[in-house]
């Protein structure tokens, strides 16, 4: 079966750095997305990785290792507005998006 | 700057009633999707469409029907609502199924009593 694992919840301090991990087992791989979803709102696109390595976008970076079936999202200089759920999603061999359950990130002052 | 618009935003139904959720996108996207999101679970694909006049089943299609008569609109129907269909429903669209991200509507919160 297809499976994506993320921690259910994480807590971090304002101004700090946090790493959210995602491991996947899917039938084929055609890219990995990270989305942010604030409570009661729609998911919004953060990043896309299809090749191994690190993609940096301002305070957010995403890393992919295809051989390990592993990705992480790194958030630096955390702000209170970063409190949200972070969703990992993998495009499988049929180009269907398989979604993880999301990691709820709580930022404390 | 509308993007993807869903109506209604909230609805309460009684078991056995029917209703249609509307989704409209103004980005000229080919692909459209209907998902449901339940606590503790990832987004689950109900139905999707790869272009005007086409529809296909996703992971959890039972109890739902869809239509895409116009490129910009994707309708999700519940023929006979059941309490198990209580969920938040998201519509999304994308230009393709590859590296282009999906753009989501604000969701419809549906409760079936």
């Amino acid at each position: 079966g297809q499976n994506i694992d993320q921690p259910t919840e994480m807590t971090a301090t304002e101004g700090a750095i946090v790493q959210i991990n995602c491991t996947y087992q899917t039938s084929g791989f055609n890219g990995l997305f990270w989305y942010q979803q604030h409570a009661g709102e729609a998911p919004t696109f953060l990043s896309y990785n299809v090749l191994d390595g690190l993609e940096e976008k301002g305070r957010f970076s995403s890393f992919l290792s295809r051989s390990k079936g592993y990705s992480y999202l790194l958030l630096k200089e955390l702000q209170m507005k970063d409190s949200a759920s972070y969703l990992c999603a993998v495009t499988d061999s049929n180009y269907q998006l398989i979604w993880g359950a999301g990691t709820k990130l709580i930022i404390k002052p | 700057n509308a993007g993807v618009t869903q109506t209604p935003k909230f609805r309460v139904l009684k078991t056995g009633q029917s209703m249609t959720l509307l989704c409209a996108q103004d980005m000229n996207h080919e692909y459209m999707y209907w998902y449901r999101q339940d606590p503790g679970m990832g987004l689950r694909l109900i139905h999707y469409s790869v272009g005007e006049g086409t529809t296909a089943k996703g992971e959890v299609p039972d109890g739902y029907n869809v239509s895409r008569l116009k490129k910009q609109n994707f309708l999700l129907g519940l023929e006979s609502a059941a309490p198990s269909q209580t969920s938040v429903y998201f519509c999304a669209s994308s230009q393709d199924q590859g590296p282009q991200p999906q753009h989501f509507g604000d969701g419809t919160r549906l409760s079936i009593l």
Side-chain angles (χ1 to χ4, degrees):
Chain A
Q2 311 210 83
N3 194 51
I4 296 183
D5 286 319
Q6 309 177 232
T8 302
E9 187 174 297
M10 299 181 70
T11 302
T13 304
E14 190 178 15
I17 300 173
V18 71
Q19 177 175 312
I20 301 173
N21 296 326
C22 170
T23 58
Y24 62 89
Q25 290 179 310
T26 56
S27 56
F29 178 85
N30 281 300
L32 185 145
F33 291 88
W34 284 97
Y35 282 77
Q36 181 189 59
Q37 185 177 24
H38 285 101
E41 298 183 8
T44 55
F45 169 73
L46 285 178
S47 68
Y48 173 75
N49 294 71
V50 66
L51 299 176
D52 291 350
L54 190 67
E55 294 280 343
E56 297 187 78
K57 251 189 203 182
R59 294 189 299 114
F60 293 6
S61 303
S62 56
F63 172 83
L64 174 67
S65 169
R66 288 172 296 171
S67 62
K68 295 182 180 179
Y70 168 70
S71 172
Y72 67 73
L73 181 68
L74 191 71
L75 291 73
K76 302 176 184 177
E77 302 169 12
L78 286 170
Q79 302 174 10
M80 297 303 293
K81 68 178 182 179
D82 297 330
S83 292
S85 289
Y86 292 86
L87 314 181
C88 173
V90 172
T91 307
D92 70 8
S93 57
N94 294 320
Y95 288 93
Q96 295 298 319
L97 262 185
I98 311 300
W99 295 82
T103 299
K104 182 178 181 180
L105 178 63
I106 300 168
I107 310 297
K108 296 187 174 180
Chain B
N1 246 18
V4 179
T5 303
Q6 290 183 234
T7 54
K9 296 193 185 307
F10 304 93
R11 186 74 185 267
V12 178
L13 290 178
K14 294 181 179 179
T15 298
Q17 287 185 315
S18 63
M19 79 162 294
T20 301
L21 280 63
L22 310 179
C23 177
Q25 53 98 1
D26 62 2
M27 296 173 283
N28 202 35
H29 284 169
E30 292 292 336
Y31 295 80
M32 296 188 75
Y33 314 84
W34 275 107
Y35 291 96
R36 61 178 290 172
Q37 187 175 42
D38 300 294
M41 303 182 72
L43 287 160
R44 291 185 292 168
L45 184 64
I46 304 171
H47 286 280
Y48 65 101
S49 168
V50 302
E52 181 179 318
T54 74
T55 63
K57 293 180 180 179
E59 180 187 356
V60 289
D62 293 343
Y64 305 95
N65 57 73
V66 287
S67 65
R68 186 139 180 233
L69 299 179
K70 292 183 178 181
K71 185 176 182 178
Q72 63 267 35
N73 297 333
F74 196 29
L75 279 58
L76 177 72
L78 283 72
E79 296 167 340
S80 179
S84 60
Q85 294 177 304
T86 293
S87 188
V88 180
Y89 291 85
F90 285 102
C91 176
S93 71
S94 66
Q95 185 52 42
D96 60 33
Q97 286 185 304
Q100 297 302 317
Q102 295 182 12
H103 299 262
F104 285 80
D106 288 336
T108 296
R109 283 143 189 86
L110 185 60
S111 293
I112 316 295
L113 304 179

